[in-house]
Amino acid sequence: KHDLWKFSFLVLRCAGMNWLWKAKYRTEWIRPPVARYSRFGGTRRMTSDGSKAENVKEEEKKQPEPVFLEDGSEVLYTGPFNSIVKLVKAMSLFSCAATTTLSPVVAFFRDDAMTASPVAQIAAGLTMFSFGIGTTGVLTYVCSPYVTRMLLSADRERFIAERLDFFMRKKVNSFPVGAQTPADVMRPMVNFQAEEENYYLIVQSLKNEMIIEQFPWLAVEEDDDSEDDEEEEEDEDEEDDEDREGPPPR
């Protein structure tokens, strides 16, 4: 009986080692690293099943189906980080409300166990109040140009930009087609202006043909970013190939 247990354990061990060896052999030598090759365009790009996909880049650039609202306006752009921006602004408003509420308590309600002077206590309350208001104000200043959605009016003569105000309510501005110009201000998250208003579009999410035509400087920025990414990926690929080839023979 003891020998039978030893024999069974030996068989299971050999079967497990054989399975692990086959899995490792398949992963490293038979199946190409699809995740790495999928980052590249052209003939080297591969799909999830390992087959070549030479026209992946062309398929990705196909125009999406147009979306129209009830009033006839067309949706040209939807911000990819709308939920994240709303969450950050909600947390900022909550912290602002909390610090605004607690700062008078810190400033005017003195505990007998505290040894700080009244001036220091009032200064601490004012510091807390200023910090809450200041951080929320800076965040609002930075995120206010962010466009959550860009529409084209039914008469196709005006752009309609939707943003968020201080209390996360929808703020709508419209301007004539062609009134937009490249940003000329030293301010974060601004890449075009129209009628003295600042706006920011995520370049990587510009898929509509009209947006690309009307905002050519954003299309150039996207091409520059894609070229930089391709160069970095090519350098990483060369380093990976050198590592796989190993040191030169002596």
Side-chain angles (χ1 to χ4, degrees), residues 1 18-19 31 38-39 49 58 67 87 95 99 122 132 137 149-150 170 176 182 184 222 227 238 245 250:
K1 185 176 180 180
N18 186 31
W19 179 81
R31 294 184 179 178
S38 62
R39 299 178 301 173
D49 58 354
E58 287 74 9
V67 179
L87 179 61
S95 64
T99 53
I122 293 175
R149 190 168 64 169
M150 179 80 78
K170 184 169 65 174
D184 192 20
E222 181 181 8
E227 290 178 0
E238 292 178 358
E245 290 175 359
R250 296 181 180 178

Side-chain angles (χ1 to χ4, degrees), residues 76 152 156 159 175-182 192 208-219:
L76 303 180
L152 180 64
R156 306 186 69 83
F159 284 124
F175 52 90
V177 175
Q180 67 278 0
T181 58
F192 78 95
N208 189 276
E209 185 175 344
M210 185 172 184
I211 288 285
I212 297 175
E213 291 178 356
Q214 293 294 327
F215 298 84
W217 60 91
L218 299 183

Side-chain angles (χ1 to χ4, degrees), residues 21-157:
W21 180 83
K22 287 183 178 179
K24 182 178 180 181
Y25 179 80
R26 262 199 317 270
T27 303
E28 294 185 356
W29 300 103
I30 296 179
R31 294 184 179 178
V34 178
R36 182 165 61 89
Y37 281 102
S38 62
R39 299 178 301 173
F40 297 90
T43 57
R44 298 192 62 187
R45 191 161 187 177
M46 306 180 68
T47 59
S48 58
D49 58 354
S51 60
K52 290 184 179 180
E54 300 180 1
N55 299 324
V56 173
K57 185 175 292 187
E58 287 74 9
E59 293 178 359
E60 290 178 352
K61 291 185 177 180
K62 287 183 178 179
Q63 296 298 323
E65 294 294 331
V67 179
F68 295 91
L69 302 182
E70 295 179 356
D71 58 355
S73 58
E74 180 183 356
V75 179
L76 303 180
Y77 164 88
T78 302
F81 305 122
N82 294 348
S83 58
I84 298 177
V85 172
K86 290 180 180 179
L87 179 61
V88 172
K89 288 181 69 68
M91 294 178 61
S92 178
L93 287 175
F94 175 78
S95 64
C96 178
T99 53
T100 304
T101 304
L102 294 177
S103 56
V105 177
V106 175
F108 300 106
F109 289 89
R110 181 177 176 81
D111 191 359
D112 295 336
M114 297 178 62
T115 58
S117 64
V119 176
Q121 191 171 353
I122 293 175
L126 292 177
T127 302
M128 181 183 295
F129 178 80
S130 302
F131 178 80
I133 296 295
T135 53
T136 304
V138 170
L139 181 64
T140 302
Y141 174 80
V142 172
C143 296
S144 59
Y146 177 80
V147 178
T148 58
R149 190 168 64 169
M150 179 80 78
L151 308 175
L152 180 64
S153 61
D155 57 4
R156 306 186 69 83
E157 293 183 357

